[in-house]
Amino acid sequence: MTALRLLLSAFLLAGLPCAAPVAATPPDRILVFTRTAKFRHESIPVAVATLKRIAAAEGMVADHTEDGGAFTAAHLARYRVVVFASTTGDVLDDAQQAALEGFVRNGGGFVGVHAAADTEYDWPWYGQLVGAYFHDHPPGLQSTHVQPEHGGKPVGERWPITDELYNYRANPRGRVQVIATVDERGYDGGLMGADHPIAWCHAFDGGRSWYTGLGHDAAVYADANVIAQLVRGLRYASGRSNDC
């Protein structure tokens, strides 16, 4: 009787449908774009390597390109975030610009690093995406402090930075959420006064945009505070966090 029951059980189990394997969710991908048409920063390879490490630590995959041909609707559909890392000048043609606009309008994220603000001056949509265009910078690397802020108020401790410190054509406050300022009292050549934003974010045209003006000097990418900034930027732009 026992043998009969075992045989019957085996027969019934054999007739049950097998559970389909659960497909693994592919990781979010980011595209790091570093094409330059004007000044080229020597720190670009370090910036790319840093962004790739951050992406990997966040469970993302980062691809790097300098080819504007990557900017098609079909290709950008692979990505969650596009990063402009120290791009300069006119780097995309009209069709490529339209592809980036479509990407953002479909919910894509954008991260701008340093000279991303020194890019595409004849494309007003891009200027609004980044938040502000580069105006100039004091000569050389200078040292000051970065003050994080939230909701328009300083939060946390100031931290030191030595970098090329951009002045912008207009203060983006009011159009974006400022997340950090620099103290012009600590260096020479600041033109924006007591309120000098250096990093910010905003929801824009269906997507999300995050920017930091830091990143000229390769040594900046070893600064734990800058790394933390970039982590928050990727999390925000990818939609993983609302806190930029």
Side-chain angles (χ1 to χ4, degrees):
M1 193 65 165
T2 302
L4 181 59
R5 286 179 179 175
L6 288 174
L7 184 62
L8 182 59
S9 296
F11 176 78
L12 291 173
L13 288 171
L16 292 175
C18 295
V22 178
T25 302
D28 287 337
R29 302 187 76 91
I30 70 172
L31 179 64
V32 181
F33 184 55
T34 57
R35 184 177 181 184
T36 55
K38 292 184 178 179
F39 182 82
R40 185 165 184 87
H41 287 76
E42 294 181 359
S43 61
I44 284 176
V46 178
V48 172
T50 301
L51 288 162
K52 285 187 172 184
R53 284 197 302 271
I54 292 172
E58 291 293 307
M60 302 179 185
V61 175
D63 298 327
H64 171 229
T65 188
E66 298 212 341
D67 181 9
F71 286 78
T72 67
H75 188 71
L76 292 182
R78 302 177 61 204
Y79 296 99
R80 190 71 195 89
V81 178
V82 171
V83 182
F84 275 38
S86 285
T87 51
T88 56
D90 187 0
V91 292
L92 298 179
D93 65 23
D94 290 348
Q96 294 159 0
Q97 291 175 3
L100 181 59
E101 291 183 11
F103 170 78
V104 172
R105 288 170 182 150
N106 286 329
F110 174 87
V111 168
V113 178
H114 193 54
D118 188 24
T119 302
E120 295 289 356
Y121 290 101
D122 296 325
W123 182 14
W125 182 90
Y126 179 83
Q128 296 170 31
L129 173 71
V130 175
Y133 279 123
F134 165 81
H135 174 62
D136 66 7
H137 62 78
L141 303 178
Q142 297 202 51
S143 299
T144 188
H145 285 84
V146 174
Q147 175 62 65
E149 71 170 68
H150 182 75
K153 296 181 180 180
V155 294
E157 297 292 328
R158 300 192 317 159
W159 42 271
I161 192 70
T162 299
D163 203 12
E164 184 179 79
L165 302 169
Y166 278 4
N167 295 306
Y168 299 94
R169 293 186 178 185
N171 190 320
R173 191 183 296 277
R175 301 187 303 275
V176 301
Q177 178 185 335
V178 174
I179 59 174
T181 59
V182 289
D183 188 350
E184 289 191 356
R185 295 172 298 179
Y187 68 100
D188 297 325
L191 301 177
M192 299 180 69
D195 182 26
H196 187 145
I198 200 65
W200 54 79
C201 66
H202 63 141
F204 176 75
D205 206 11
R208 294 180 172 203
S209 173
W210 185 94
Y211 171 82
T212 180
L214 303 175
H216 172 88
D217 187 30
V220 165
Y221 296 97
D223 187 313
N225 291 300
V226 174
I227 296 296
Q229 250 194 12
L230 291 170
V231 169
R232 289 175 61 187
L234 284 177
R235 288 176 179 174
Y236 173 78
S238 65
R240 295 183 173 198
S241 172
N242 291 323
D243 181 11
C244 65

